[in-house]
Amino acid sequence: VQLQASGGGLVQLGGSLRLSCVVSGSSADYYAIGWFRQAPGKEREGVTCTTLYDAKTKYTDSVKGRFTISRDNAKNTVYLQMNSLKPEDTAVYYCAIDQDWWPGDCLTGVGMDFWGKGTQVTVSS
């Protein structure tokens, strides 16, 4: 399984970006998928995740109302639409999937089995 994230870049305060994550491979099914980020000097943070078995989506409080996760099953792609970006959103963003069904909180990232390489998002003030 491979995950390829793209779409990062430099954007001004209040701007928007859409990240994409393509999931490919002979066994590309998953129970949950999520976006995570890590800023310099900080721990990895769960941004949003979707669990397919109960169709629930979670967002970390700091992005609620600004970020939206969506999926295009035909393209095996998950998107992260990020609006009203703030400098504190600056980080490397990663996508990840859970293929073994971990029943805990998907935002922790603990249950994720495969991770893509990150894409840098920089928000200038």
Side-chain angles (χ1 to χ4, degrees), residues 16-39:
S16 298
L17 282 175
R18 189 178 78 158
L19 305 184
S20 300
C21 175
V22 178
V23 183
S24 62
S26 59
S27 180
D29 295 330
Y30 48 85
Y31 292 99
I33 188 163
W35 287 96
F36 301 81
R37 66 186 180 186
Q38 188 165 21

PDB file of all heavy atoms in Angstrom, residues 16-39:
ATOM      1  N   SER A  16      -6.623  29.545   1.259  1.00  0.00           N
ATOM      2  CA  SER A  16      -7.111  28.166   1.215  1.00  0.00           C
ATOM      3  C   SER A  16      -6.135  27.275   0.461  1.00  0.00           C
ATOM      4  O   SER A  16      -5.410  27.735  -0.429  1.00  0.00           O
ATOM      5  CB  SER A  16      -8.480  28.101   0.519  1.00  0.00           C
ATOM      6  OG  SER A  16      -9.451  28.837   1.228  1.00  0.00           O
ATOM      7  N   LEU A  17      -6.159  26.014   0.821  1.00  0.00           N
ATOM      8  CA  LEU A  17      -5.416  24.979   0.109  1.00  0.00           C
ATOM      9  C   LEU A  17      -6.239  23.703   0.150  1.00  0.00           C
ATOM     10  O   LEU A  17      -7.019  23.485   1.084  1.00  0.00           O
ATOM     11  CB  LEU A  17      -4.049  24.702   0.766  1.00  0.00           C
ATOM     12  CG  LEU A  17      -2.902  25.672   0.514  1.00  0.00           C
ATOM     13  CD1 LEU A  17      -1.700  25.258   1.370  1.00  0.00           C
ATOM     14  CD2 LEU A  17      -2.514  25.720  -0.951  1.00  0.00           C
ATOM     15  N   ARG A  18      -6.047  22.867  -0.862  1.00  0.00           N
ATOM     16  CA  ARG A  18      -6.652  21.544  -0.832  1.00  0.00           C
ATOM     17  C   ARG A  18      -5.561  20.504  -0.975  1.00  0.00           C
ATOM     18  O   ARG A  18      -4.853  20.463  -1.985  1.00  0.00           O
ATOM     19  CB  ARG A  18      -7.690  21.366  -1.944  1.00  0.00           C
ATOM     20  CG  ARG A  18      -8.473  20.061  -1.783  1.00  0.00           C
ATOM     21  CD  ARG A  18      -9.532  19.873  -2.839  1.00  0.00           C
ATOM     22  NE  ARG A  18      -8.974  19.427  -4.111  1.00  0.00           N
ATOM     23  CZ  ARG A  18      -9.676  18.793  -5.054  1.00  0.00           C
ATOM     24  NH1 ARG A  18     -10.968  18.545  -4.852  1.00  0.00           N
ATOM     25  NH2 ARG A  18      -9.112  18.433  -6.178  1.00  0.00           N
ATOM     26  N   LEU A  19      -5.441  19.670   0.026  1.00  0.00           N
ATOM     27  CA  LEU A  19      -4.483  18.578  -0.009  1.00  0.00           C
ATOM     28  C   LEU A  19      -5.162  17.334  -0.572  1.00  0.00           C
ATOM     29  O   LEU A  19      -6.360  17.118  -0.376  1.00  0.00           O
ATOM     30  CB  LEU A  19      -3.948  18.280   1.383  1.00  0.00           C
ATOM     31  CG  LEU A  19      -3.334  19.450   2.152  1.00  0.00           C
ATOM     32  CD1 LEU A  19      -2.760  18.945   3.480  1.00  0.00           C
ATOM     33  CD2 LEU A  19      -2.280  20.163   1.339  1.00  0.00           C
ATOM     34  N   SER A  20      -4.386  16.523  -1.257  1.00  0.00           N
ATOM     35  CA  SER A  20      -4.876  15.262  -1.805  1.00  0.00           C
ATOM     36  C   SER A  20      -4.004  14.126  -1.299  1.00  0.00           C
ATOM     37  O   SER A  20      -2.798  14.297  -1.106  1.00  0.00           O
ATOM     38  CB  SER A  20      -4.835  15.282  -3.339  1.00  0.00           C
ATOM     39  OG  SER A  20      -5.628  16.319  -3.855  1.00  0.00           O
ATOM     40  N   CYS A  21      -4.620  12.979  -1.116  1.00  0.00           N
ATOM     41  CA  CYS A  21      -3.887  11.774  -0.722  1.00  0.00           C
ATOM     42  C   CYS A  21      -4.418  10.618  -1.552  1.00  0.00           C
ATOM     43  O   CYS A  21      -5.580  10.228  -1.411  1.00  0.00           O
ATOM     44  CB  CYS A  21      -4.077  11.487   0.760  1.00  0.00           C
ATOM     45  SG  CYS A  21      -3.324   9.933   1.311  1.00  0.00           S
ATOM     46  N   VAL A  22      -3.566  10.098  -2.413  1.00  0.00           N
ATOM     47  CA  VAL A  22      -3.939   8.965  -3.251  1.00  0.00           C
ATOM     48  C   VAL A  22      -3.479   7.688  -2.576  1.00  0.00           C
ATOM     49  O   VAL A  22      -2.299   7.546  -2.228  1.00  0.00           O
ATOM     50  CB  VAL A  22      -3.310   9.080  -4.654  1.00  0.00           C
ATOM     51  CG1 VAL A  22      -3.679   7.868  -5.495  1.00  0.00           C
ATOM     52  CG2 VAL A  22      -3.761  10.366  -5.329  1.00  0.00           C
ATOM     53  N   VAL A  23      -4.403   6.757  -2.401  1.00  0.00           N
ATOM     54  CA  VAL A  23      -4.101   5.461  -1.803  1.00  0.00           C
ATOM     55  C   VAL A  23      -4.023   4.439  -2.923  1.00  0.00           C
ATOM     56  O   VAL A  23      -4.986   4.258  -3.679  1.00  0.00           O
ATOM     57  CB  VAL A  23      -5.182   5.052  -0.783  1.00  0.00           C
ATOM     58  CG1 VAL A  23      -4.810   3.731  -0.113  1.00  0.00           C
ATOM     59  CG2 VAL A  23      -5.375   6.143   0.260  1.00  0.00           C
ATOM     60  N   SER A  24      -2.895   3.766  -3.039  1.00  0.00           N
ATOM     61  CA  SER A  24      -2.724   2.820  -4.138  1.00  0.00           C
ATOM     62  C   SER A  24      -2.089   1.536  -3.627  1.00  0.00           C
ATOM     63  O   SER A  24      -1.549   1.481  -2.525  1.00  0.00           O
ATOM     64  CB  SER A  24      -1.865   3.442  -5.237  1.00  0.00           C
ATOM     65  OG  SER A  24      -0.575   3.734  -4.747  1.00  0.00           O
ATOM     66  N   GLY A  25      -2.168   0.509  -4.447  1.00  0.00           N
ATOM     67  CA  GLY A  25      -1.578  -0.770  -4.094  1.00  0.00           C
ATOM     68  C   GLY A  25      -2.581  -1.892  -4.249  1.00  0.00           C
ATOM     69  O   GLY A  25      -3.781  -1.656  -4.416  1.00  0.00           O
ATOM     70  N   SER A  26      -2.098  -3.096  -4.139  1.00  0.00           N
ATOM     71  CA  SER A  26      -2.954  -4.260  -4.370  1.00  0.00           C
ATOM     72  C   SER A  26      -3.986  -4.432  -3.269  1.00  0.00           C
ATOM     73  O   SER A  26      -5.025  -5.040  -3.470  1.00  0.00           O
ATOM     74  CB  SER A  26      -2.094  -5.520  -4.468  1.00  0.00           C
ATOM     75  OG  SER A  26      -1.350  -5.701  -3.274  1.00  0.00           O
ATOM     76  N   SER A  27      -3.721  -3.873  -2.106  1.00  0.00           N
ATOM     77  CA  SER A  27      -4.666  -3.970  -0.999  1.00  0.00           C
ATOM     78  C   SER A  27      -4.867  -2.591  -0.412  1.00  0.00           C
ATOM     79  O   SER A  27      -4.288  -2.242   0.615  1.00  0.00           O
ATOM     80  CB  SER A  27      -4.152  -4.947   0.068  1.00  0.00           C
ATOM     81  OG  SER A  27      -5.074  -5.025   1.138  1.00  0.00           O
ATOM     82  N   ALA A  28      -5.665  -1.801  -1.100  1.00  0.00           N
ATOM     83  CA  ALA A  28      -5.821  -0.397  -0.723  1.00  0.00           C
ATOM     84  C   ALA A  28      -7.085  -0.127   0.074  1.00  0.00           C
ATOM     85  O   ALA A  28      -7.494   1.017   0.196  1.00  0.00           O
ATOM     86  CB  ALA A  28      -5.793   0.469  -1.972  1.00  0.00           C
ATOM     87  N   ASP A  29      -7.692  -1.165   0.638  1.00  0.00           N
ATOM     88  CA  ASP A  29      -8.865  -0.952   1.465  1.00  0.00           C
ATOM     89  C   ASP A  29      -8.437  -0.510   2.861  1.00  0.00           C
ATOM     90  O   ASP A  29      -7.334  -0.814   3.318  1.00  0.00           O
ATOM     91  CB  ASP A  29      -9.689  -2.239   1.565  1.00  0.00           C
ATOM     92  CG  ASP A  29     -10.255  -2.647   0.219  1.00  0.00           C
ATOM     93  OD1 ASP A  29     -10.517  -1.745  -0.602  1.00  0.00           O
ATOM     94  OD2 ASP A  29     -10.406  -3.856  -0.017  1.00  0.00           O
ATOM     95  N   TYR A  30      -9.340   0.144   3.561  1.00  0.00           N
ATOM     96  CA  TYR A  30      -9.006   0.587   4.912  1.00  0.00           C
ATOM     97  C   TYR A  30     -10.269   0.816   5.708  1.00  0.00           C
ATOM     98  O   TYR A  30     -11.358   0.984   5.162  1.00  0.00           O
ATOM     99  CB  TYR A  30      -8.169   1.871   4.877  1.00  0.00           C
ATOM    100  CG  TYR A  30      -8.721   2.961   3.972  1.00  0.00           C
ATOM    101  CD1 TYR A  30      -9.685   3.845   4.417  1.00  0.00           C
ATOM    102  CD2 TYR A  30      -8.242   3.087   2.661  1.00  0.00           C
ATOM    103  CE1 TYR A  30     -10.184   4.830   3.585  1.00  0.00           C
ATOM    104  CE2 TYR A  30      -8.729   4.080   1.830  1.00  0.00           C
ATOM    105  CZ  TYR A  30      -9.698   4.950   2.290  1.00  0.00           C
ATOM    106  OH  TYR A  30     -10.191   5.930   1.467  1.00  0.00           O
ATOM    107  N   TYR A  31     -10.116   0.811   7.012  1.00  0.00           N
ATOM    108  CA  TYR A  31     -11.231   1.060   7.912  1.00  0.00           C
ATOM    109  C   TYR A  31     -11.317   2.526   8.313  1.00  0.00           C
ATOM    110  O   TYR A  31     -12.383   3.015   8.665  1.00  0.00           O
ATOM    111  CB  TYR A  31     -11.089   0.201   9.168  1.00  0.00           C
ATOM    112  CG  TYR A  31     -11.264  -1.268   8.915  1.00  0.00           C
ATOM    113  CD1 TYR A  31     -10.160  -2.100   8.780  1.00  0.00           C
ATOM    114  CD2 TYR A  31     -12.528  -1.835   8.804  1.00  0.00           C
ATOM    115  CE1 TYR A  31     -10.305  -3.452   8.538  1.00  0.00           C
ATOM    116  CE2 TYR A  31     -12.693  -3.192   8.572  1.00  0.00           C
ATOM    117  CZ  TYR A  31     -11.579  -3.995   8.437  1.00  0.00           C
ATOM    118  OH  TYR A  31     -11.730  -5.335   8.210  1.00  0.00           O
ATOM    119  N   ALA A  32     -10.197   3.190   8.284  1.00  0.00           N
ATOM    120  CA  ALA A  32     -10.177   4.602   8.663  1.00  0.00           C
ATOM    121  C   ALA A  32      -9.061   5.293   7.906  1.00  0.00           C
ATOM    122  O   ALA A  32      -8.059   4.670   7.548  1.00  0.00           O
ATOM    123  CB  ALA A  32      -9.972   4.773  10.162  1.00  0.00           C
ATOM    124  N   ILE A  33      -9.255   6.560   7.665  1.00  0.00           N
ATOM    125  CA  ILE A  33      -8.233   7.367   7.009  1.00  0.00           C
ATOM    126  C   ILE A  33      -8.207   8.732   7.674  1.00  0.00           C
ATOM    127  O   ILE A  33      -9.252   9.234   8.105  1.00  0.00           O
ATOM    128  CB  ILE A  33      -8.493   7.475   5.494  1.00  0.00           C
ATOM    129  CG1 ILE A  33      -7.313   8.151   4.790  1.00  0.00           C
ATOM    130  CG2 ILE A  33      -9.802   8.203   5.199  1.00  0.00           C
ATOM    131  CD1 ILE A  33      -7.315   7.930   3.275  1.00  0.00           C
ATOM    132  N   GLY A  34      -7.041   9.302   7.751  1.00  0.00           N
ATOM    133  CA  GLY A  34      -6.956  10.578   8.443  1.00  0.00           C
ATOM    134  C   GLY A  34      -5.818  11.439   7.951  1.00  0.00           C
ATOM    135  O   GLY A  34      -4.941  10.992   7.207  1.00  0.00           O
ATOM    136  N   TRP A  35      -5.883  12.691   8.353  1.00  0.00           N
ATOM    137  CA  TRP A  35      -4.822  13.660   8.104  1.00  0.00           C
ATOM    138  C   TRP A  35      -4.211  14.060   9.448  1.00  0.00           C
ATOM    139  O   TRP A  35      -4.935  14.313  10.424  1.00  0.00           O
ATOM    140  CB  TRP A  35      -5.374  14.903   7.403  1.00  0.00           C
ATOM    141  CG  TRP A  35      -5.721  14.692   5.978  1.00  0.00           C
ATOM    142  CD1 TRP A  35      -6.947  14.389   5.450  1.00  0.00           C
ATOM    143  CD2 TRP A  35      -4.823  14.777   4.863  1.00  0.00           C
ATOM    144  NE1 TRP A  35      -6.857  14.284   4.080  1.00  0.00           N
ATOM    145  CE2 TRP A  35      -5.576  14.520   3.703  1.00  0.00           C
ATOM    146  CE3 TRP A  35      -3.461  15.055   4.734  1.00  0.00           C
ATOM    147  CZ2 TRP A  35      -5.003  14.518   2.422  1.00  0.00           C
ATOM    148  CZ3 TRP A  35      -2.904  15.060   3.463  1.00  0.00           C
ATOM    149  CH2 TRP A  35      -3.666  14.796   2.327  1.00  0.00           C
ATOM    150  N   PHE A  36      -2.913  14.133   9.454  1.00  0.00           N
ATOM    151  CA  PHE A  36      -2.169  14.495  10.649  1.00  0.00           C
ATOM    152  C   PHE A  36      -1.149  15.570  10.263  1.00  0.00           C
ATOM    153  O   PHE A  36      -0.835  15.731   9.088  1.00  0.00           O
ATOM    154  CB  PHE A  36      -1.462  13.263  11.210  1.00  0.00           C
ATOM    155  CG  PHE A  36      -2.419  12.152  11.553  1.00  0.00           C
ATOM    156  CD1 PHE A  36      -2.898  11.305  10.569  1.00  0.00           C
ATOM    157  CD2 PHE A  36      -2.858  11.971  12.854  1.00  0.00           C
ATOM    158  CE1 PHE A  36      -3.815  10.295  10.866  1.00  0.00           C
ATOM    159  CE2 PHE A  36      -3.765  10.969  13.160  1.00  0.00           C
ATOM    160  CZ  PHE A  36      -4.244  10.138  12.165  1.00  0.00           C
ATOM    161  N   ARG A  37      -0.667  16.284  11.249  1.00  0.00           N
ATOM    162  CA  ARG A  37       0.330  17.309  10.940  1.00  0.00           C
ATOM    163  C   ARG A  37       1.353  17.383  12.053  1.00  0.00           C
ATOM    164  O   ARG A  37       1.087  17.020  13.195  1.00  0.00           O
ATOM    165  CB  ARG A  37      -0.342  18.662  10.719  1.00  0.00           C
ATOM    166  CG  ARG A  37      -1.014  19.258  11.966  1.00  0.00           C
ATOM    167  CD  ARG A  37      -1.782  20.525  11.592  1.00  0.00           C
ATOM    168  NE  ARG A  37      -2.436  21.124  12.752  1.00  0.00           N
ATOM    169  CZ  ARG A  37      -3.260  22.166  12.688  1.00  0.00           C
ATOM    170  NH1 ARG A  37      -3.542  22.720  11.513  1.00  0.00           N
ATOM    171  NH2 ARG A  37      -3.802  22.641  13.796  1.00  0.00           N
ATOM    172  N   GLN A  38       2.516  17.873  11.667  1.00  0.00           N
ATOM    173  CA  GLN A  38       3.583  18.070  12.638  1.00  0.00           C
ATOM    174  C   GLN A  38       4.317  19.359  12.322  1.00  0.00           C
ATOM    175  O   GLN A  38       4.887  19.499  11.228  1.00  0.00           O
ATOM    176  CB  GLN A  38       4.552  16.890  12.654  1.00  0.00           C
ATOM    177  CG  GLN A  38       5.566  16.973  13.781  1.00  0.00           C
ATOM    178  CD  GLN A  38       6.270  15.651  14.028  1.00  0.00           C
ATOM    179  OE1 GLN A  38       6.310  14.777  13.171  1.00  0.00           O
ATOM    180  NE2 GLN A  38       6.830  15.489  15.219  1.00  0.00           N
ATOM    181  N   ALA A  39       4.276  20.261  13.272  1.00  0.00           N
ATOM    182  CA  ALA A  39       4.987  21.523  13.142  1.00  0.00           C
ATOM    183  C   ALA A  39       6.379  21.376  13.751  1.00  0.00           C
ATOM    184  O   ALA A  39       6.602  20.510  14.601  1.00  0.00           O
ATOM    185  CB  ALA A  39       4.211  22.631  13.848  1.00  0.00           C
TER     186      ALA A  39
END
